Amino acid sequence: MNEKGKEEECDFTVVLQQPTPGPSSPLTPSTPNSRAGRRLGSIDNPIVIEEESDGVGEDDDVIILLSRPVYKKREGKRSTRNRVLSPPPSTSTSTTIRTLNKVQTSHKDRSASSSHAPITCHLPTPPPSESPSSPISVRLTYTSIERPIPSIRDLPFDFHSYTGKHLGLRANRDIKRGELIIKEEPFFTLPIGDIDEDITSDHILPLLPLSQDCQGLFHSFTGRTDRHADNDHYVNIIETNSIPLISKDSQALGLFRHICRVNHSCTPNSGWSWVEDEGNLHLYAYTNIDCGEEITASYLPQKGITLSYAQRQRHLLNGHGFVCLCDACATSAIQIVEADTSLALFEYLQDEWMETDLGEYAADIHDALRKLNQAKSILLSNDKFNAVGDVLEQLYDVYAIHGMLKRSKDAALQCLDHFTVCLGKKAAEQSRYAALAMDPTLFERWAELDSSRERKKRKRRREDKAVRMSIRIRRSYEDTFASD
Ligand SMILES: [Zn+2]
């Protein structure tokens, strides 16, 4: 990661209250007129800081309380992009009380699992001489996750308000297939243990308060408003707008000023790719995008290429709170049925090559190539450009196991081109197809089914056997003559 959090200090005035023990104790919101009232205990920030005094000595604890209930995440209510959601069960409420140490420990645990630098809070313990009800000034130091915000100048798109959708991105010039539309650092990152984990206010608490710029960007996004909307404003915005950032060792949800504005399409003309070592999300054009055209990406899970119209709508409605009216969805019933049928056929063809050993699948090369070309044409006719890579990889394998040098090389080059378009040049060059395009014989099962190679092997074995026999015969003659 190249970002280094910026250390900031800000003064907050908070009202210290004697805490009432027990999770059901009433919580006191901060004073509306105080500066802390805008940042602490407000609707945007549920934190209230209280002092816990045991009446002995000076080791009083500072307690961070939530000014309103923390809603446990309803199981299955997932709205973060690229996740499959299930119906929401009942909501349970509980109030979370954490000591400062606990908050910091929890924060450290999360930061250890991510390369991102979240906020660290250092709250001084208030002096015991202060009256519990009198306002005191607390100096709050935190490392902001604020990062440089890219300027929209020079970017190949503008923000545009589309009817029936939120703000989207509109190309302001022609964009070529494979072009990097934008690479962007997240302005907010939420480390999570698992991408399917339900996020709650507890996850976000250690990251608060946000810096002012970060707050501004955060609240420029809108959360969903349907029945699946989370009661916590922060959770709702993250669930509605964040993008999963999956790395080798850590997973996080990220918010991006521009890329999070890309609207969904079931036939997207662009897609994003998280580059872990750069700390950037790249948005690549899958097709040529004309000036004035909307830039779209898919919110469906990666393996959701073959979802039918009904499955897609269910996923998007439950997960993201909208009915998709993209070109693939807002069309005639007959075309929807045709598309669903062809995608079901693709799924059948894909299952076959995924579940069959390559040697068995490619034994009849003509049959294998016929099925793979059929799968490829189904994807292209349904504008599923980003899924074509799977077919190209299988085509390479079939050619390579038969030891067909030129065709293997062409297929490896096509894989390389596909990954360059979808993942960028650097990722493509790091893929196995960069090496295989140079030397296709590096494939581990190269020419395993090459019949001409098998014939040569058998011939060589016959010749070796003949040589061994002739040596044995000569020796027996030599022994005979020697004895005479
Ligand atoms: Zn759609």
Side-chain angles (χ1 to χ4, degrees):
M1 303 305 292
N2 52 11
E3 98 281 335
K4 294 251 185 225
K6 191 169 81 184
E7 184 124 313
E8 291 184 4
E9 287 195 340
C10 31
D11 291 327
F12 292 93
T13 305
V14 296
V15 177
L16 295 180
Q17 304 271 347
Q18 288 290 354
T20 311
S24 59
S25 61
L27 298 171
T28 311
S30 57
T31 312
N33 293 333
S34 71
R35 291 176 63 189
R38 292 194 297 272
R39 304 287 293 270
L40 300 172
S42 66
I43 188 159
D44 293 336
N45 188 342
I47 295 177
V48 173
I49 297 176
E50 295 194 2
E51 181 192 38
E52 185 182 54
S53 172
D54 53 9
V56 181
E58 298 179 0
D59 296 332
D60 295 339
D61 286 327
V62 171
I63 293 186
I64 296 182
L65 298 175
L66 297 183
S67 61
R68 53 190 162 79
V70 175
Y71 289 85
K72 287 270 182 201
K73 186 67 186 300
R74 287 159 296 190
E75 199 180 302
K77 188 186 76 56
R78 314 283 309 161
S79 14
T80 306
R81 293 173 188 182
N82 289 344
R83 294 193 200 151
V84 184
L85 310 184
S86 46
S90 63
T91 305
S92 66
T93 62
S94 67
T95 306
T96 303
I97 302 180
R98 291 169 175 270
T99 64
L100 178 61
N101 288 341
K102 200 170 174 186
V103 170
Q104 285 180 332
T105 306
S106 140
H107 162 233
K108 278 176 190 163
D109 290 343
R110 289 205 179 87
S111 64
S113 67
S114 166
S115 51
H116 294 286
I119 293 168
T120 50
C121 296
H122 308 289
L123 283 175
T125 306
S129 57
E130 291 278 1
S131 161
S133 57
S134 65
I136 60 157
S137 288
V138 175
R139 191 153 198 83
L140 187 59
T141 308
Y142 63 91
T143 307
S144 167
I145 54 168
E146 184 187 356
R147 300 184 177 95
I149 299 162
S151 161
I152 198 161
R153 278 183 311 153
D154 307 327
L155 292 175
F157 55 79
D158 303 313
F159 288 134
H160 183 74
S161 186
Y162 287 94
T163 315
K165 301 180 186 177
H166 292 302
L167 211 59
L169 302 187
R170 183 176 61 179
N172 58 21
R173 62 167 172 80
D174 290 347
I175 299 172
K176 284 188 183 152
R177 174 180 175 268
E179 190 177 327
L180 176 63
I181 299 170
I182 183 176
K183 62 176 176 181
E184 190 173 23
E185 283 184 53
F187 71 84
F188 176 88
T189 313
L190 176 66
I192 47 171
D194 188 296
I195 208 67
D196 292 324
E197 184 184 350
D198 288 333
I199 58 169
T200 64
S201 307
D202 282 354
H203 287 89
I204 303 164
L205 189 61
L207 300 179
L208 300 176
L210 301 175
S211 72
Q212 209 151 13
D213 285 347
C214 195
Q215 284 264 14
L217 278 175
F218 200 97
H219 296 296
S220 69
F221 287 94
T222 48
R224 59 193 298 176
T225 53
D226 62 357
R227 67 189 172 92
H228 292 302
D230 198 286
N231 292 319
D232 185 293
H233 182 59
Y234 281 92
V235 172
N236 193 22
I237 287 189
I238 291 172
E239 285 192 336
T240 310
N241 298 283
S242 67
I243 294 174
L245 311 175
I246 302 169
S247 308
K248 262 181 260 165
D249 304 321
S250 61
Q251 302 189 357
L253 300 174
L255 284 174
F256 299 82
R257 184 188 187 192
H258 298 109
I259 300 181
C260 285
R261 299 285 185 196
V262 178
N263 282 323
H264 165 84
S265 169
C266 300
T267 54
N269 56 20
S270 78
W272 49 68
S273 160
W274 172 240
V275 184
E276 184 187 359
D277 53 356
E278 263 185 35
N280 280 323
L281 190 70
H282 290 199
L283 185 70
Y284 290 101
Y286 289 166
T287 61
N288 289 329
I289 301 173
D290 296 333
C291 180
E293 194 180 333
E294 182 177 10
I295 297 171
T296 55
S298 174
Y299 297 180
L300 297 170
Q302 207 168 18
K303 300 202 180 226
I305 292 293
T306 54
L307 293 180
S308 67
Y309 168 82
Q311 289 169 324
R312 293 198 306 270
Q313 293 294 350
R314 192 160 52 242
H315 175 91
L316 294 167
L317 193 60
N318 288 341
H320 302 273
F322 66 87
V323 174
C324 184
L325 293 173
C326 74
D327 290 347
C329 294
T331 184
S332 66
I334 186 116
Q335 282 180 315
I336 286 173
V337 170
E338 278 175 7
D340 283 358
T341 310
S342 66
L343 289 173
L345 175 58
F346 170 81
E347 193 172 16
Y348 170 79
L349 294 168
Q350 188 184 39
D351 284 349
E352 189 181 354
W353 82 66
M354 298 278 281
E355 291 164 10
T356 313
D357 175 71
L358 178 61
E360 193 183 326
Y361 183 81
D364 182 346
I365 188 169
H366 299 294
D367 186 49
L369 293 178
R370 181 185 57 76
K371 288 188 277 197
L372 288 172
N373 285 321
Q374 187 181 14
K376 187 177 165 189
S377 64
I378 288 173
L379 291 178
L380 293 177
S381 64
N382 283 283
D383 295 338
K384 307 281 187 190
F385 305 105
N386 53 331
V388 172
D390 287 351
V391 184
L392 296 175
E393 287 185 74
Q394 186 68 13
L395 269 172
Y396 168 84
D397 289 356
V398 169
Y399 287 133
I401 202 169
H402 281 278
M404 300 166 81
L405 192 66
K406 188 169 180 315
R407 286 177 187 263
S408 300
K409 190 165 187 163
D410 288 347
L413 283 169
Q414 283 186 43
C415 289
L416 201 58
D417 175 66
H418 177 80
F419 292 127
T420 306
V421 167
C422 294
L423 302 172
K425 199 173 172 196
K426 193 174 167 189
E429 283 172 352
Q430 286 171 353
S431 75
R432 65 197 287 256
Y433 294 99
L436 292 175
M438 299 285 289
D439 182 3
T441 64
L442 293 174
F443 182 59
E444 54 273 18
R445 295 181 72 176
W446 174 258
E448 204 178 272
L449 298 181
D450 182 0
S451 52
S452 61
R453 196 169 102 147
E454 280 299 309
R455 273 202 302 276
K456 281 179 200 162
K457 267 191 192 168
R458 280 200 295 274
K459 190 180 170 193
R460 197 159 49 240
R461 277 200 294 271
R462 276 203 304 275
E463 287 169 353
D464 291 347
K465 193 175 173 185
V467 169
R468 282 198 303 274
M469 284 200 49
S470 69
I471 291 171
R472 208 182 311 151
I473 291 168
R474 198 173 63 220
R475 279 184 186 158
S476 72
Y477 269 114
E478 284 170 358
D479 291 346
T480 309
F481 289 130
S483 62
D484 288 344

